[in-house]
Amino acid sequence: MLQHNGANAGKDMIFSYYKAVLAQARERTKILKAKVSRPVKEPDLLALRQRCESHLDVILRELEELEKDEYLERPEMLRQKVSILKKIISNISYIETTGIAALDRMKGDDIFLTRLLFHIHEEIGYPLLPPAVTCLSRQYYSIYPMLGLVQVPLAEADSLLHLPDLYHEIGHPLTSSKDNPRVEPFTNALGRFMEFAGQHFETEYVRTQRSSGPRDYFGVVVRQLQQSWVIFWSQEIFCDLFALYTLGSAYAWSHFHLVAERCGDPYRVDLSGGSEHPPDSARMEALLAGLKLVGMNQESELIRKRWEEFLLKLGYSSNEMYIRACPSSLLHKAALCAFEGTKGIECTIVSSSVGTHLVGDLLNKAWIEFWKSPIEYAVWEKQVIKNLKKHLASSSSTFCA
Amino acid sequence: MRKMSDLGLFGSVYEQLHEYSDQFNKFLFTIRRHDGIQRTEARLRLAQLLRSVTDKQNNSPSAHIVRMVLQRELPRTLGQPVSICDTLADALEHRDPLPQELESLGKISIAVNTECYSTMERMQGKI
């Protein structure tokens, strides 16, 4: 028993505080569970609700185990106990502000896009459950793989040109899928590429240490690039390529659109710790290589010309750091590995010929219409979206683009 | 401005890390507090986890990511390269860990936990 002097009273207070924090966390989780336990507006949302509930149940179990763990009651284990509690509280916040917020808000546009993504998953033979979609994004497209929820900006239900990014987002759950034989070819392909990238920069590191230049600086740079490629960039590029291989050139156009519309220097290499995205030019180079792999050489050349025109007119050019960070050999290897991975999971690979994919064909046609007449495109798009929404709302109506 | 799919990427990285982190914590706790068969099983499973990261034949994205995290974190905390995991695995396969080995295992656990936690923070836009 601790004696009540100043130091021990302080220790008691901290222990009591964290006990109370744990109890509060448990109560909050139960409140969130009650919020989720209502009828859903749409069958496609059942999976999201179920995932939210499952996550909340896991959190409740973790809190209970943490509370009962006598070993972690020891004073010397406080730091470890608190680090686990913090992780759990982060998880509660995550579920609250994402899945549960989305379920609480579901409106017409969210349901339309959720149905659209359902169609996409059918068309391409996507092996996992299709995510729900919410228009709650405060930035751009993103996905919460743990919840099966895609977030898009508010007006995306009335626009086609960025919708190809949905295909990129559904690539992410594939990269983190486990114990699923159907998805293993994809994760194995990603693993092979990570190994290749890791080894490339290991070799680079050895080379820099033998060189006569500023070894320390370049040693740090190469290690940073190795970390970025293996942990982050490989996954991003794989998702780009998955989108390309299942949708087609519309994804490459969408990438062009995103960069030209919103982003900075496409050759800029971000060397801050754990930079998440490869340079945009590297992503485009991988996409163009991918288009050639699927036999879409004409489309690849057309996009390349427009891309190079964009770079020239805006004064962007390659630099030594970019070439060091994103060698063509690495990008082409990514294109090849991702192609093998996408084929391996039996998703439908795009080809030049027009198919019978309602959504895929429409998104590709949108870009053809846009380049035919960029100014008048909006009129065409408005009508097509109106027809599409009507079609998805009622399966008996015929869709006409 | 955050680019598209930061969240998707971090979400995937989190998924790829947290299972390893959870299992590592579970087996380490069991070794610390139990005796007999439970303890033996836990140390053998922990050895397997360590081997899964150092085994170059293991191609799972999770293994690659954990390897990178430990390559970045371990030298600072332990003053040793990632091969400390092989040494620890060797020990755990044959006997209970010594106090200094338990300390090293604790540091590995903290390194992966911290990466999980900071990935979650990035998902939530806090860093």
Side-chain angles (χ1 to χ4, degrees), chain A residues 174-194:
Chain A
L174 292 175
T175 65
S176 55
S177 176
K178 287 185 173 118
D179 301 323
N180 186 337
R182 174 78 197 277
V183 182
E184 250 166 40
F186 194 83
T187 53
N188 284 345
L190 176 60
R192 281 200 301 281
F193 178 68
M194 283 174 165

Side-chain angles (χ1 to χ4, degrees), chain A residues 119-120 123-124 167 246-248 250 356-366:
Chain A
H119 273 269
I120 289 171
E123 286 177 7
I124 68 174
Y167 292 71
T246 52
L247 169 59
T356 53
H357 290 176
L358 167 71
V359 182
D361 292 347
L362 177 64
L363 295 180
N364 280 298
K365 188 172 179 185

Side-chain angles (χ1 to χ4, degrees), chain B residues 28-94:
Chain B
L28 189 55
F29 290 166
T30 307
I31 288 171
R32 280 180 165 145
R33 84 192 69 167
H34 289 292
D35 293 316
I37 296 173
Q38 264 186 299
R39 188 182 206 163
T40 306
E41 244 177 53
R43 70 170 168 80
L44 290 172
R45 295 292 299 273
L46 197 54
Q48 262 178 351
L49 268 185
L50 288 162
R51 292 266 186 236
S52 75
V53 168
T54 62
D55 177 8
K56 291 285 184 186
Q57 302 303 314
N58 182 356
N59 228 358
S60 77
S62 297
H64 284 288
I65 290 171
V66 172
R67 208 175 289 144
M68 279 291 124
V69 169
L70 295 180
Q71 195 172 58
R72 188 177 72 221
E73 299 298 326
L74 279 187
R76 286 209 296 270
T77 55
L78 294 180
Q80 307 257 358
V82 164
S83 61
I84 188 74
C85 291
D86 263 333
T87 310
L88 287 168
D90 280 339
L92 291 173
E93 277 161 1
H94 297 100

Side-chain angles (χ1 to χ4, degrees), chain A residues 39-330:
Chain A
V40 291
K41 291 175 185 170
E42 178 72 18
D44 294 338
L45 299 175
L46 282 170
L48 175 60
R49 178 181 152 176
Q50 193 173 38
R51 281 190 178 121
C52 287
E53 284 177 333
S54 299
H55 279 291
L56 292 172
D57 285 337
V58 166
I59 285 168
L60 284 169
R61 267 201 312 276
E62 285 176 347
L63 286 168
E64 195 181 353
E65 281 168 14
L66 193 61
E67 196 172 28
K68 289 182 175 163
D69 194 320
E70 287 173 9
Y71 189 83
L72 289 175
E73 285 298 302
R74 298 182 186 194
E76 68 271 21
M77 297 306 295
L78 177 65
R79 196 179 154 197
Q80 200 144 7
K81 180 173 182 175
V82 168
S83 92
I84 296 168
L85 180 59
K86 280 183 179 179
K87 203 170 111 191
I88 296 173
I89 289 172
S90 254
N91 287 345
I92 296 171
S93 174
Y94 170 78
I95 307 278
E96 178 174 355
T97 55
T98 56
I100 295 175
L103 279 170
D104 204 54
R105 160 212 145 101
M106 276 287 156
K107 293 185 174 185
D109 282 351
D110 309 300
I111 292 170
F112 160 64
L113 288 173
T114 299
R115 287 185 186 154
L116 191 81
L117 195 45
F118 183 87
H119 273 269
I120 289 171
H121 114 281
E122 278 188 319
E123 286 177 7
I124 68 174
Y126 183 69
L128 303 177
L129 275 176
V133 183
T134 179
C135 298
L136 275 176
S137 176
R138 289 180 297 166
Q139 286 167 352
Y140 192 62
Y141 283 54
S142 53
I143 187 171
Y144 296 94
M146 279 161 47
L147 293 172
L149 178 68
V150 170
Q151 277 194 343
V152 303
L154 204 55
E156 282 306 298
D158 295 295
S159 165
L160 294 175
L161 296 181
H162 283 299
L163 286 181
D165 290 334
L166 288 174
Y167 292 71
H168 171 103
E169 295 308 324
I170 61 175
H172 281 295
L174 292 175
T175 65
S176 55
S177 176
K178 287 185 173 118
D179 301 323
N180 186 337
R182 174 78 197 277
V183 182
E184 250 166 40
F186 194 83
T187 53
N188 284 345
L190 176 60
R192 281 200 301 281
F193 178 68
M194 283 174 165
E195 173 65 30
F196 183 86
Q199 206 45 59
H200 169 87
F201 287 101
E202 199 61 43
T203 307
E204 263 298 290
Y205 181 78
V206 169
R207 199 182 62 75
T208 57
Q209 297 309 290
R210 288 185 188 148
S211 72
S212 55
R215 270 176 277 186
D216 287 347
Y217 169 71
F218 280 114
V220 167
V221 164
V222 169
R223 282 288 184 227
Q224 203 83 281
L225 290 171
Q226 187 184 43
Q227 290 274 322
S228 292
W229 265 109
V230 174
I231 300 177
F232 298 116
W233 296 5
S234 54
Q235 302 202 53
E236 274 300 291
I237 281 198
F238 253 60
C239 290
D240 279 342
L241 290 160
F242 172 78
L244 185 86
Y245 293 141
T246 52
L247 169 59
S249 56
Y251 184 73
W253 283 123
S254 179
H255 178 65
F256 172 99
H257 192 37
L258 179 65
V259 176
E261 203 183 33
R262 303 178 190 212
C263 301
D265 184 354
Y267 287 106
R268 184 172 168 263
V269 178
D270 184 355
L271 285 178
S272 55
S275 148
E276 314 88 50
H277 287 79
D280 291 315
S281 216
R283 296 173 79 168
M284 183 56 91
E285 194 177 331
L287 290 170
L288 295 176
L291 277 173
K292 286 188 171 165
L293 267 178
V294 294
M296 298 178 82
N297 297 310
Q298 232 177 338
E299 287 87 344
S300 178
E301 275 319 295
L302 176 60
I303 297 171
R304 177 184 293 284
K305 273 193 189 133
R306 290 261 154 86
W307 177 252
E308 283 171 356
E309 192 185 336
F310 156 71
L311 294 173
L312 182 69
K313 292 274 162 68
L314 268 77
Y316 295 126
S317 58
S318 183
N319 54 70
E320 275 187 40
M321 185 59 77
Y322 172 80
I323 293 167
R324 182 187 289 266
C326 306
S328 291
S329 56
L330 202 54

